[in-house]
Amino acid sequence: MGLLLAAWAVAAGWAVLSSLARGRAAAGAVRQARRLARMVEESPAQLLIVRSDGRIEGSPRLASWLGFSAMPQFLSELDDGKPDRGLSAEQLAQLTEAVLSAQRTSRSFDLALSPRGSRRSLSLRGGLVDPQVAPAGSAQVWVFDASEAETQIARMRAETARSKSDFLALVGLIEAAPIPMWFRSPQGELRLVNSAYVRAVGAENAESVVNGGLELVERIDGQTPAQVAARAMLEKRPAERIVAATIGGQRRALRVSDLPLGDEGVAGYAIDIEEMEEISRAFRAFREAQRSMLDLLSSGVAQFDARHRLTFANQPFQRLFALSPADLHDAPFERLLDAARETGRVPEMRDYRAWRKERAEWFAASEAQEEAWPLSDGTHLRVVAQPMPDGGLLLVVEDRTETLRISAMRDTLLRTRTATFDSLFEAVAVFAPDGRLQLWNRLFASAWGLEAEVLDAHPHVDDVMKRIAAQLARPDQAQAVGDGVRAATLERRQTGGRVALADGRTLEYAGVPLPDGNGLLTVLDITDSQKAEEALRERNAALVEADQLKTRFLANMSYEFRTPLTSIGGFAELLEAGLGGDLSESGREYVAAILTSVGRLTDQIENVLDLSQSEAGMLPLALEPVDLFALMRDLVQEREAVVTEKHLELDLRGSSLNAGKIEADPRRLGRALAHLLDNALDATPSGGRILVEVGRHRSRQKDGKNGDGKQRARVVISDNGPGMDRAALARAFDGLPIQPTSPDAKGAARRQGLGLPLARQLIEAHGGNLELLSEPGQGTAAIVELD
């Protein structure tokens, strides 16, 4: 019994201990189960057990995800037809089919479901459950709340799509860009080029450019474009340069930029700046031309930038302000005024600093400023300051000293003109192009009988003519006067005419265009001059009649003188021949003197007749070919006795071949040349020298200028006699005796009478001209030119 009790006690103790141990183990298991359940409850995925009979087990959290307050018992109850919870029929059918497939085939599945009435997105991952977790044939479905992940995924998808769209747009933009663009690897190799690059290098496509490594620009300073890009990549800063490249067979200037893009590579682009360079060159040329033109102006021009510093000043500006090159070098506006003040080229001011500050405010002015600067030396400057849109200033300075002086002179001239107008013997009036009367003198009003009050109103020419018409003998002539004014002002041509007044006066008017566009109407009372003109006409007619009477008288007298002279000469020749008996020595001398006088008188009668006929324009010429040199030679030979008697040296130069023949009357031309030769023989003292030259010479005018260039026959008869002064030379063709001007040439007077006048008339009748050249003590030369 004791043993039994002891065994029972041991057994009981063991049972108690064993129970305690199992209780502790059970409590630990419960705690572990609770911890695991809590971990499952708090895990981001909730477990759904689907048994083979369709029963389901799930946590309350999963029920809340599905919109239920408690988890339904069967899978089919997840669609209870209510719109705010559970799954739709389609989603439930997909889940049921996936669960059945997993239970039969142990194949896992993935689904994405969205409960009704909720924006929650659930991701389901299912498969066959472990038998230790649930009875065999059950399926387990892990349900993940992927709402936030789906939102992020959707946002990432949208961002990806937008990035892709932006990338495609950027690629399209780069491809459509009109400028060449490219992308290089970090090593500088071409990776991507656009169509503009392909066209620029003349390739077929971008692949051939990249594969062939075709560069747009050439090697510059020993560096290839790839090396320049690699250096920009290494230095991590953009590289920009201007290079020349051949594009489309033309050399163009390009601005090439290489932009490093982190570690990915280097992007580049090239802008064609050829037109910009041309514009820049044209602008520089225009600026230089403008500045050169400004240097030619009389006004001073200076340009200041927005910093108030001088950028340009033309030569007149430098002269006006007496500035040195040091003053002009990037000089501020204020310092320039100071330098001008030191040379006295700005006005004297009591507060110069305040004045200078006010001038500096010109830069900020809204409109141009103009001032007059009177300087201490009497110079007057007009200064115009024009603010520029860029904040600078254009300063224009004009020296108006001369203008003011001219203005004062103009005022004086206007007063003088008024006084002059009133002092004229002519009536004058000035009309403007619009026909208004501008200026007039007192005689204009009195000549036409107009009141001063009417003229002071500056009436129109039509109104003036209406008032003038009342003063005319024929009122319709006022229209002609008005037309003269309109022709002078509008048509710019001069007209004139005469009108008779009702009081018997005659006025002569003229419309004269003036340089300023106005018209001048001059009126002159010609009543007295017209009467004098008529008297002069009558006197002229009387003089013409008297001249004709004189010509007829000379012709008749010459004819009447010839008959007795012929008889006297004939009887004298008979006496000289001894028909009247022998004559004594004295008788023969008397007869010789009679014959000489008869010859001279006959020549004078011939001269008078020829001269009168020549002056009357009735001299008959018997023209025939004449050997001029032979004619002159015969005249010289006829005077050999005189040359020998006076011990003269006569030199005849020329030839028939050189002088040629001319159409002339040999008798009358010989008489003219004989008169010139006799005149030289008479004027040359004993032992003198006479030169006669016959030839041809280019014609010339009397003033020494070249004539028509025609070769004319010329005869020059010159002597070394005493010569003549200007007064004697002027009277040479008057037919008066010319006394020698040298006291040593006593008795060597030139031949008097009609010789020179007749010679000139006969030579001019042949279409030639006679010219005398003489200087006291230098001799005289007679020059004859004939066609």
Side-chain angles (χ1 to χ4, degrees):
M1 183 60 108
L3 291 172
L4 182 59
L5 291 172
W8 181 83
V10 170
W14 180 83
V16 171
L17 293 174
S18 177
S19 297
L20 292 173
R22 285 198 295 273
R24 287 193 297 272
V30 170
R31 288 195 300 273
Q32 182 69 20
R34 288 177 179 174
R35 185 169 61 253
L36 293 175
R38 188 65 179 172
M39 292 175 62
V40 172
E41 183 72 19
E42 296 296 333
S43 69
Q46 298 297 313
L47 180 62
L48 176 65
I49 302 297
V50 183
R51 298 181 184 274
S52 58
D53 56 359
R55 291 178 179 273
I56 59 175
E57 298 178 8
S59 65
R61 186 180 179 190
L62 178 59
S64 65
W65 286 2
L66 296 174
F68 294 100
S69 58
M71 197 68 186
Q73 293 183 355
F74 292 95
L75 181 63
S76 59
E77 293 178 353
L78 292 178
D79 179 16
D80 58 358
K82 293 184 178 181
D84 58 347
R85 67 182 185 182
L87 301 177
S88 64
E90 292 81 4
Q91 292 179 341
L92 181 58
Q94 293 179 3
L95 178 59
T96 302
E97 183 180 357
V99 168
L100 292 176
S101 177
Q103 289 175 343
R104 290 194 296 267
T105 63
S106 301
R107 188 169 57 190
S108 60
F109 64 88
D110 292 314
L111 288 177
L113 303 176
S114 296
R116 286 185 298 194
S118 174
R119 295 182 178 179
R120 194 181 300 275
S121 178
L122 302 179
S123 177
L124 283 67
R125 182 176 300 169
L128 193 62
V129 72
D130 191 342
Q132 295 181 359
V133 176
S138 299
Q140 63 178 5
V141 180
W142 290 97
V143 182
F144 298 88
D145 186 358
S147 301
E148 295 182 0
E150 286 294 328
T151 301
Q152 293 178 357
I153 292 173
R155 185 172 65 252
M156 293 176 64
R157 286 175 179 170
E159 292 178 354
T160 302
R162 186 169 60 252
S163 299
K164 184 177 181 181
S165 176
D166 293 344
F167 176 76
L168 293 177
L170 181 60
V171 171
L173 178 63
I174 295 174
E175 183 67 18
I179 62 175
M181 303 181 71
W182 61 87
F183 178 76
R184 298 180 184 273
S185 66
Q187 291 75 29
E189 298 176 352
L190 287 174
R191 299 287 297 277
L192 178 67
V193 296
N194 66 347
S195 299
Y197 190 104
V198 175
R199 291 192 300 270
V201 298
E204 295 181 358
N205 48 51
E207 289 76 10
S208 61
V209 174
V210 173
N211 295 334
L214 298 179
E215 295 292 349
L216 177 65
V217 298
E218 305 168 357
R219 182 188 297 268
I220 304 297
D221 296 333
Q223 288 189 334
T224 63
Q227 291 173 339
V228 174
R231 190 178 70 234
M233 181 79 178
L234 180 63
E235 297 178 355
K236 298 186 181 302
R237 62 179 181 180
E240 184 175 302
R241 61 197 186 280
I242 296 177
V243 299
T246 302
I247 299 178
Q250 297 181 351
R251 295 292 289 179
R252 312 287 294 182
L254 304 177
R255 179 183 286 114
V256 180
S257 300
D258 290 302
L259 309 174
L261 304 178
D263 297 333
E264 285 75 15
V266 180
Y269 62 89
I271 300 177
D272 189 343
I273 61 171
E274 181 66 26
E275 294 183 0
M276 186 184 303
E277 287 293 315
E278 291 180 359
I279 294 174
S280 178
R281 289 191 293 268
F283 172 75
R284 288 193 295 270
F286 171 76
R287 183 180 62 184
E288 294 300 325
Q290 184 187 46
R291 292 184 172 180
S292 299
M293 180 189 66
L294 291 177
D295 281 334
L296 300 177
L297 296 178
S298 59
S299 301
V301 179
Q303 295 175 342
F304 297 86
D305 59 16
R307 298 181 300 123
H308 296 198
R309 293 190 173 274
L310 181 67
T311 58
F312 171 74
N314 67 348
Q315 295 296 328
F317 186 88
Q318 300 176 32
R319 290 194 299 269
L320 287 174
F321 284 94
L323 299 175
S324 64
D327 297 329
L328 298 173
H329 181 66
D330 199 23
F333 178 73
E334 292 80 357
R335 195 179 76 186
L336 196 65
L337 291 180
D338 294 340
R341 181 169 180 258
E342 292 177 359
T343 57
R345 308 310 293 173
V346 297
E348 291 294 336
M349 294 293 170
R350 183 173 8 178
D351 190 352
Y352 169 73
R353 293 182 179 275
W355 179 84
R356 184 182 64 181
K357 184 178 180 181
E358 292 176 359
R359 304 288 102 45
E361 293 174 356
W362 284 347
F363 286 84
S366 58
E367 57 185 11
Q369 306 293 320
E370 182 175 345
E371 288 185 353
W373 289 6
L375 305 184
S376 58
D377 60 354
T379 303
H380 292 266
L381 300 181
R382 174 176 174 263
V383 180
V384 179
Q386 176 64 54
M388 304 303 291
D390 60 353
L393 183 72
L394 179 67
L395 198 63
V396 180
V397 182
E398 179 185 3
D399 188 350
R400 301 194 64 189
T401 307
E402 188 67 16
T403 304
L404 295 177
R405 187 182 68 82
I406 294 175
S407 178
M409 293 176 58
R410 176 180 175 273
D411 295 338
T412 303
L413 289 175
L414 288 177
R415 292 191 294 269
T416 305
R417 182 190 65 182
T418 302
T420 304
F421 272 20
D422 290 338
S423 303
L424 291 176
F425 291 102
E426 288 182 304
V428 295
V430 178
F431 289 85
D434 60 355
R436 293 282 177 181
L437 180 64
Q438 298 294 323
L439 299 172
W440 65 94
N441 62 354
R442 288 177 297 181
L443 284 179
F444 184 80
S446 62
W448 297 109
L450 300 175
E451 297 82 3
E453 294 77 10
V454 176
L455 300 180
D456 289 338
H458 300 281
H460 194 270
V461 61
D462 294 336
D463 298 332
V464 176
M465 294 304 113
K466 289 179 182 178
R467 295 179 178 274
I468 288 177
Q471 308 294 330
L472 300 179
R474 293 174 51 193
D476 59 332
Q477 289 184 327
Q479 179 66 28
V481 180
D483 293 341
V485 175
R486 282 183 282 271
T489 55
L490 301 179
E491 302 176 13
R492 311 301 300 160
R493 60 185 179 87
Q494 181 173 342
T495 58
R498 293 182 180 181
V499 293
L501 299 183
D503 58 4
R505 289 181 297 150
T506 301
L507 301 182
E508 186 176 50
Y509 69 90
V512 182
L514 298 178
D516 57 357
N518 295 331
L520 176 67
L521 178 63
T522 64
V523 182
L524 182 63
D525 189 345
I526 61 171
T527 305
D528 295 337
S529 62
Q530 195 171 23
K531 294 178 180 179
E533 182 180 356
E534 293 176 357
L536 289 175
R537 285 199 183 98
E538 294 175 358
R539 183 176 180 183
N540 183 64
L543 290 175
V544 170
E545 179 65 24
D547 184 67
Q548 293 178 352
L549 181 62
K550 179 201 70 172
T551 302
R552 290 194 296 271
F553 171 75
L554 291 176
N556 292 333
M557 291 300 295
S558 299
Y559 177 77
E560 293 296 334
F561 284 159
R562 285 182 180 180
T563 301
L565 281 177
T566 303
S567 300
I568 294 172
F571 287 119
E573 290 177 355
L574 292 175
L575 291 174
E576 185 181 28
L579 296 179
D582 294 334
L583 298 177
S584 64
E585 187 67 26
S586 298
R588 284 195 295 272
E589 291 180 1
Y590 295 154
V591 170
I594 293 172
L595 290 175
T596 301
S597 298
V598 168
R600 293 186 62 183
L601 185 57
T602 302
D603 290 341
Q604 291 298 329
I605 292 174
E606 290 290 337
N607 291 343
V608 171
L609 183 60
D610 288 346
L611 184 60
S612 61
Q613 290 178 332
S614 177
E615 289 178 350
M618 298 182 296
L619 181 65
L621 295 178
L623 299 179
E624 61 181 66
V626 176
D627 187 337
L628 186 59
F629 180 78
L631 177 63
M632 201 67 212
R633 182 186 57 199
D634 294 341
L635 295 175
V636 171
Q637 290 176 353
E638 291 174 1
R639 288 154 177 80
E640 286 184 358
V642 178
V643 172
T644 303
E645 181 182 353
K646 295 187 66 173
H647 305 286
L648 300 178
E649 179 183 352
L650 196 152
D651 186 5
L652 176 62
R653 297 180 182 180
S655 64
S656 297
L657 180 63
N658 186 25
K661 293 184 178 182
I662 61 173
E663 291 290 327
D665 186 333
R667 184 176 67 85
R668 287 189 166 87
L669 180 59
R671 181 180 297 173
L673 296 176
H675 281 307
L676 297 177
L677 185 58
D678 291 339
N679 203 33
L681 291 172
D682 292 341
T684 305
S686 179
R689 184 173 182 270
I690 298 175
L691 173 64
V692 179
E693 183 177 3
V694 183
R696 285 194 171 270
H697 186 71
R698 189 177 301 276
S699 64
R700 60 186 182 90
Q701 298 176 354
K702 292 185 178 180
D703 57 1
K705 297 182 180 179
N706 290 334
D708 54 8
K710 182 180 179 181
Q711 292 285 340
R712 308 182 72 187
R714 187 173 74 163
V715 178
V716 179
I717 302 174
S718 61
D719 60 68
N720 61 350
M724 297 177 287
D725 55 17
R726 290 186 178 182
L729 189 63
R731 299 192 304 270
F733 293 103
D734 294 340
L736 300 175
I738 304 173
Q739 298 299 329
T741 59
S742 173
D744 299 333
K746 295 180 180 180
R750 292 187 177 274
R751 182 184 294 271
Q752 60 182 7
L754 304 177
L756 284 177
L758 179 61
R760 182 173 65 175
Q761 291 288 349
L762 293 176
I763 291 172
E764 290 178 353
H766 285 80
N769 61 279
L770 170 62
E771 181 180 5
L772 287 181
L773 302 177
S774 183
E775 289 288 340
Q778 301 297 324
T780 302
I783 302 175
V784 179
E785 289 188 352
L786 298 166
D787 291 330

